[in-house]
């Protein structure tokens, strides 16, 4: 094509200008450039002279002309797209572009930003985005003859923004899902820019974003946290807090919530290094703090308990020691001797009860205490408990009242443990009531539950004492100040035993000095007309001298062995003693005893080994074997029976229980005699 003045609008060094000049337009609907109207020539000249991507679509078929910058957008559609219909070039996005062409040909000029288009320009489909303006092109007749477009591809920018946004969302997700709380505050007023879910939770789920700290969390300001933030802004030095106490207002107007938090205030710096805000991060450690405090309290309780245990054991030891010295003096009057003996017996019983309570608590804690339930009358349970506390009540001049609305009713309970429950409650009432007080025990049946009530007019309970009453080792100061302070496990034991029965216990008091009331409910478990099994026959009191037995006592505690031997000899029995396992076996082989009472923890052969050795002897099935040990768990009893023992007694031995075993052996011997 010749370069003459009629083609000056195609002049220039650009590739598209040269291509247009060389192009064969004879087959195009546009025809020869020499015949193009001035309006089209002007657009082409403007377009070819611009470095910005442009195209013009002219005529009924919207045949397309474009510049070098737009050729880059077309990809492999260039150069064959030159002069072809616009919607044919972009057939894969025809449905996206056709509505836009109608708008432009209708005379509308418009701008679109980041329009998504799925194009095929490099042999594959790809997602692209474009920002452009479309305008109608007016010909010489004043008609809309085509479309003029200036555009730019924003695919990279959109993808970059998407990537950035995705990263921000990922970071925001990490921020929001972080197990600890986090927030960002900016400026001297500490305006919240970010706060994750954990931070919102710890501060009561109130609106924070965009608000200064003083408006969002005024109570935090009052507690000095704003001052700490101010200091971080001023100095640029991080601030760290450990288990800091913070009161947070309840969003619904309820009482403030006390929390403990670990936190760090980290300065945030701008590009010049100036501190512009603070990154707040940390953890709500309220539960950990409470757990640690509970451990510390348990440790304090343990120390108090050990001190109390030492005190409570020394108390009975003092009169026992004094009574023993009195008995050792020559010429002591019989009345004094009897008085000293009674003191020793009472104090030993008291010490035994302390130890029994400790053992029972241990069994319950380990889930090893089993109830032995049977049908018993309510009045019999109450009578056993009253009988146990009556001597102490009489000594203090108390009146013991008994009111049994349904005393004849029967309940299925462990009678020993039920009596223990009431004895503990009555014992406390006796201890913590000043001399001359009144103590009442009531019993009735309320539907399917038996109801026991113990009341007194004693020292009462403080509100704090009522909160911790059934907690192990917890004792009120008013109780500790009295000589009968106890170990602080009695009421915890009561609660555990009641709950083992499927019942409940509660305490009430109008305050210190105004007495106390304890209520116990346990399931009846039996109909009203049920009968109580007949009491099993028991042998009480010492055996007579007319029924002697040959016995071997084996214990490495020589004093305990000697005293029990002397007691049994006074009853007429023939008693031999040994102080280790081998001696016990040799002695038994020699005297062939009727009864052996064996300590378990002996040197040489222990009690289990002695029992197995003797049972293996030809004569070994005949003797009554009794284990005497300080170990009292259920598995200890089972182990003793498995080793061949007939009975398992816990130290300190109750002589009456041993007497009962000996009486049964004598009765068996008598029945088997011809």
């Amino acid at each position: 094509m010749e370069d003459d003045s009629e083609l000056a609008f195609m002049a220039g060094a650009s590739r598209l200008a040269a291509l247009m000049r060389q192009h064969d337009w004879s087959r195009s609907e546009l025809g020869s450039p020499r015949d193009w109207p001035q309006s089209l020539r002007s657009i082409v000249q403007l377009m070819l002279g611009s470095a910005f991507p442009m195209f013009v679509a002219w005529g009924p078929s919207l045949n397309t002309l474009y510049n070098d910058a737009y050729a880059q957008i077309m990809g492999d559609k260039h150069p064959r797209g030159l002069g072809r219909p616009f919607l044919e070039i972009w057939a894969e996005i025809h449905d996206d572009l056709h509505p836009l062409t109608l708008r432009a040909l209708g005379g509308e000029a418009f701008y679109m930003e980041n329009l998504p288009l799925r194009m095929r320009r490099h042999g594959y489909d790809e997602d692209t985005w474009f920002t452009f303006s479309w305008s109608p092109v007016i010909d010489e007749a004043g008609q809309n003859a085509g479309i003029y477009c200036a555009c730019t591809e924003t695919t990279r920018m959109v993808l970059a923004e998407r990537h950035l946004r995705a990263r921000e969302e990922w970071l925001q997700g990490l921020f929001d899902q972080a197990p600890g709380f986090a927030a960002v505050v900016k400026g001297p007023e500490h305006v919240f820019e970010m706060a994750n879910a954990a931070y919102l939770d710890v501060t009561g789920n109130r609106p924070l974003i965009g608000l200064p700290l003083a408006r969002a969390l005024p109570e935090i300001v009052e507690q000095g946290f704003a001052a700490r933030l101010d200091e971080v802004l001023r100095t640029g030095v991080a601030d760290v807090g450990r288990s800091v106490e913070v009161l947070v207002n309840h969003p619904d107007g309820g009482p403030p919530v006390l929390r403990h938090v670990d936190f760090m205030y980290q300065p945030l710096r701008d590009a010049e290094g100036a501190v512009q805000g603070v990154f707040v991060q940390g953890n709500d450690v309220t539960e950990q703090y409470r757990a640690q405090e509970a451990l510390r309290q348990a440790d304090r309780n343990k120390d108090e308990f050990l001190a109390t245990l030492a005190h409570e054991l020394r108390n009975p030891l003092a009169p026992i020691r004094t009574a023993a010295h009195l008995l050792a003096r020559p010429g002591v009057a019989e009345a004094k001797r009897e008085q000293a003996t009674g003191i020793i017996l009472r104090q030993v019983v008291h010490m035994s009860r302390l130890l029994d309570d400790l053992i029972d608590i241990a069994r319950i804690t380990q889930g090893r205490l089993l109830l032995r339930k049977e049908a018993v009358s309510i009045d019999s349970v109450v009578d056993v408990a009253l009988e146990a506390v009556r001597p102490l009540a009489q000594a203090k001049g108390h009146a013991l009242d008994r009111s049994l609305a349904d005393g004849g009713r029967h309940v299925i309970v462990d009678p020993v443990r039920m009596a223990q429950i009431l004895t503990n409650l009555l014992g406390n009432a006796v201890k913590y009531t000043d001399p001359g007080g009144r103590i009442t025990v009531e019993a009735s049946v309320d539907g399917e539950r038996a109801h026991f009530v113990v009341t007194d007019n004693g020292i009462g309970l403080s509100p704090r004492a009522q909160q911790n009453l059934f907690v192990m080792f917890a004792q009120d100061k008013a109780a500790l100040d009295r000589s009968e302070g106890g170990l602080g496990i009695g009421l915890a034991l009561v609660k555990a035993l009641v709950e083992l029965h499927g019942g409940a216990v509660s305490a009430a008091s109008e305050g210190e000095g105004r007495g106390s009331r304890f209520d116990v409910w346990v399931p009846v478990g039996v109909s009203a007309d049920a009968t109580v099994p007949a009491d099993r026959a028991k042998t009480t009191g010492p055996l007579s001298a007319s029924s002697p037995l040959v016995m071997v006592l084996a214990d490495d505690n020589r004093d305990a062995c000697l005293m029990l031997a002397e007691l049994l000899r006074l009853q007429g029995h023939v008693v031999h003693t040994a102080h280790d396992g081998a001696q016990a076996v040799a002695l038994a082989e020699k005297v062939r005893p009727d009864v052996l009472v064996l300590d378990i923890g002996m040197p040489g052969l222990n009690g289990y080994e002695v029992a197995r050795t003797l049972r293996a002897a030809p004569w070994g099935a005949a003797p009554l074997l009794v284990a005497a040990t300080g170990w009292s768990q259920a598995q200890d009893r089972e182990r003793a029976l498995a080793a061949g023992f007939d009975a398992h007694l816990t130290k300190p031995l109750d002589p009456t229980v041993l007497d009962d075993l000996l009486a049964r052996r004598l009765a068996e011997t008598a029945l088997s005699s011809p």
Side-chain angles (χ1 to χ4, degrees):
M1 182 178 295
E2 297 180 5
D3 186 12
D4 53 27
S5 60
E6 292 183 359
L7 300 180
F9 68 92
M10 290 184 181
S14 71
R15 292 182 180 179
L16 259 299
L19 185 61
M20 284 186 186
R21 291 195 298 269
Q22 297 166 7
H23 188 72
D24 181 5
W25 295 102
S26 61
R27 298 181 182 181
S28 171
E29 293 183 11
L30 292 174
S32 173
R34 298 176 186 278
D35 300 327
W36 291 356
Q38 185 57 45
S39 53
L40 177 57
R41 293 183 178 209
S42 297
I43 292 293
V44 171
Q45 185 176 22
L46 172 66
M47 182 177 66
L48 292 175
S50 175
F52 200 81
M54 296 179 183
F55 73 84
V56 60
W58 185 270
S61 298
L62 297 178
N63 298 90
T64 307
L65 304 171
Y66 49 87
N67 63 4
D68 286 343
Y70 191 81
Q72 298 298 316
I73 291 174
M74 293 184 65
D76 61 13
K77 295 179 183 291
H78 171 73
R80 58 188 175 85
L82 185 63
R84 292 179 61 195
F86 178 69
L87 294 178
E88 181 182 311
I89 296 171
W90 299 109
E92 71 273 17
I93 53 175
H94 174 279
D95 292 343
D96 297 297
L97 298 181
H98 185 253
L100 303 180
T101 61
L102 294 178
R103 288 173 60 184
L105 292 174
E108 180 183 356
F110 56 89
Y111 172 85
M112 299 199 75
E113 186 173 11
N114 296 330
L115 177 69
L117 297 169
R118 188 160 182 81
M119 304 171 68
R120 176 176 284 271
R121 52 186 179 167
H122 299 294
Y124 56 87
D125 292 338
E126 58 180 309
D127 291 321
T128 64
W129 286 263
F130 286 86
T131 294
F132 57 86
S133 65
W134 278 19
S135 305
V137 180
I138 309 301
D139 62 13
E140 284 71 12
Q143 300 298 315
N144 293 339
I147 301 169
Y148 169 71
C149 173
C151 68
T152 183
E153 183 172 358
T154 57
T155 300
R156 289 185 179 179
M157 181 188 72
V158 169
L159 291 178
E161 287 178 351
R162 284 191 169 188
H163 178 72
L164 179 60
R165 187 161 55 250
R167 182 171 178 79
E168 288 175 349
E169 289 174 355
W170 177 71
L171 291 173
Q172 183 69 48
L174 291 179
F175 184 79
D176 289 338
Q177 297 171 27
F181 59 76
V184 173
V185 294
K186 292 287 187 70
E189 293 187 341
H190 313 302
V191 177
F192 282 95
E193 286 198 349
M194 298 176 68
N196 69 355
Y199 190 91
L200 294 175
D201 180 67
V202 82
T203 54
N205 290 303
R206 287 173 281 176
L208 299 179
I209 306 304
L211 298 177
L213 180 66
R215 284 180 55 197
L217 303 170
E219 73 275 20
I220 300 297
V221 176
E222 296 167 2
Q223 295 172 69
F225 291 94
R228 300 179 77 152
L229 289 169
D230 291 340
E231 190 67 9
V232 175
L233 279 180
R234 186 183 69 82
T235 64
V237 177
D239 184 9
V240 178
R242 299 292 183 192
S243 293
V244 178
E245 186 177 287
V246 55
L247 275 172
V248 181
N249 289 342
H250 196 283
D252 298 326
V257 179
L258 177 62
R259 297 182 182 272
H260 288 82
V261 295
D262 289 347
F263 68 86
M264 173 181 283
Y265 289 165
Q266 185 74 30
L268 294 175
R269 301 178 184 274
D270 59 20
E272 287 72 37
V275 178
Q276 59 177 348
V278 178
F279 177 52
V280 179
Q281 60 179 321
N283 291 281
D284 183 348
V285 296
T286 304
E287 293 305 318
Q288 297 93 311
Y289 178 85
R290 289 173 180 168
Q292 291 170 0
E293 187 60 28
L295 289 174
R296 286 190 287 267
Q297 183 60 48
D299 197 50
R300 289 191 291 267
N301 288 344
K302 178 201 69 176
D303 291 342
E304 291 177 6
F305 163 70
L306 292 175
T308 304
L309 177 61
H311 173 268
E312 290 300 314
L313 291 177
R314 286 192 185 102
N315 274 349
L317 285 175
I320 289 173
R321 174 181 288 175
T322 303
H325 279 286
L326 178 65
L327 291 173
R329 290 180 177 273
V332 177
E334 186 61 28
K336 292 294 183 183
R337 187 179 296 276
E338 290 179 359
Q339 183 183 34
T341 302
I343 287 172
I344 291 173
L345 290 174
R346 284 195 300 274
Q347 296 303 323
V348 168
V349 168
H350 175 64
M351 292 178 70
S352 296
R353 285 177 178 166
L354 291 177
L355 295 174
D356 286 343
D357 280 355
L358 283 172
I359 292 168
D360 285 342
I361 281 290
R363 287 173 175 169
I364 292 170
T365 302
Q366 298 168 9
R368 294 175 178 172
L369 190 144
L370 300 176
L371 298 181
R372 293 177 173 83
K373 292 185 177 181
E374 59 184 72
V376 295
S377 62
I378 290 176
D379 54 1
S380 68
V381 173
V382 173
D383 284 344
V384 170
L386 286 172
E387 189 63 29
V389 300
R390 185 168 281 114
L392 181 58
Q394 290 174 344
K396 296 188 69 172
H398 293 325
L400 281 177
D401 294 334
R402 175 178 180 269
S403 175
L404 307 181
D406 295 282
R409 290 285 299 271
H410 306 138
V411 291
I412 293 182
V413 294
D414 183 324
V416 173
R417 298 304 181 184
M418 200 66 222
Q420 186 179 5
I421 291 167
L422 296 178
T423 299
N424 263 322
L425 295 178
L426 287 166
N428 277 355
V430 169
K431 287 185 210 176
Y432 302 129
T433 300
D434 291 328
R438 180 170 295 279
I439 296 157
T440 303
V441 58
E442 305 172 59
S444 60
V445 175
D446 179 12
E448 297 300 318
R449 299 189 304 175
H451 185 197
F452 300 88
V453 183
V454 174
T455 56
D456 63 66
N457 59 350
I459 66 173
L461 298 167
S462 66
R464 178 182 176 85
Q466 292 183 53
Q467 291 178 356
N468 300 315
L469 198 60
F470 297 103
V471 176
M472 187 81 69
F473 308 140
Q475 288 183 286
D476 191 27
K477 178 67 165 62
L480 285 172
D481 287 343
R482 304 172 74 86
S483 61
E484 308 96 334
L487 295 179
I489 62 174
L491 291 178
L493 180 59
V494 165
K495 182 175 185 290
L497 290 174
V498 170
E499 290 177 349
L500 277 177
H501 279 85
V505 60
S506 68
S509 175
E510 294 182 5
E512 296 183 48
R514 305 186 67 178
S516 305
R517 170 187 172 118
F518 288 82
D519 291 78
V520 173
W521 295 268
V522 293
V524 173
V526 66
S527 62
D529 57 353
T531 57
V532 180
D535 289 340
R536 291 184 287 271
K538 292 183 180 179
T539 302
T540 58
L543 300 173
S544 66
S546 61
S547 54
L549 291 167
V550 176
M551 302 180 64
V552 169
L553 306 184
D555 196 326
D556 59 342
N557 186 326
R558 294 175 180 267
D559 289 342
C561 191
L562 175 62
M563 287 296 95
L564 182 57
E566 290 302 323
L567 180 62
L568 292 170
R569 286 169 184 150
L570 286 174
Q571 296 174 11
H573 300 300
V574 178
V575 182
H576 304 273
T577 60
H579 303 301
D580 63 44
Q583 288 180 7
V585 171
L587 188 58
E589 287 284 356
K590 180 179 179 180
V591 303
R592 303 289 174 89
D594 302 302
V595 179
L596 292 98
V597 180
L598 305 175
D599 179 33
I600 295 299
M602 292 185 293
L605 298 176
N606 63 37
Y608 301 127
E609 293 168 330
V610 172
R612 284 191 286 267
T613 300
L614 295 180
R615 288 302 192 203
W619 57 274
L624 173 69
L625 296 188
V626 180
T629 175
W631 302 103
S632 60
Q633 301 287 355
Q635 66 267 29
D636 300 318
R637 186 180 304 275
E638 292 169 2
R639 187 178 178 188
L641 296 178
F645 284 102
D646 298 294
H648 178 277
L649 302 183
T650 303
K651 292 181 178 181
L653 296 185
D654 184 342
T656 61
V657 176
L658 182 58
D659 286 346
D660 189 47
L661 287 172
L662 299 181
R664 291 181 188 178
R665 172 44 55 108
L666 284 170
E668 292 168 359
T669 303
L671 288 173
S672 62
S673 300

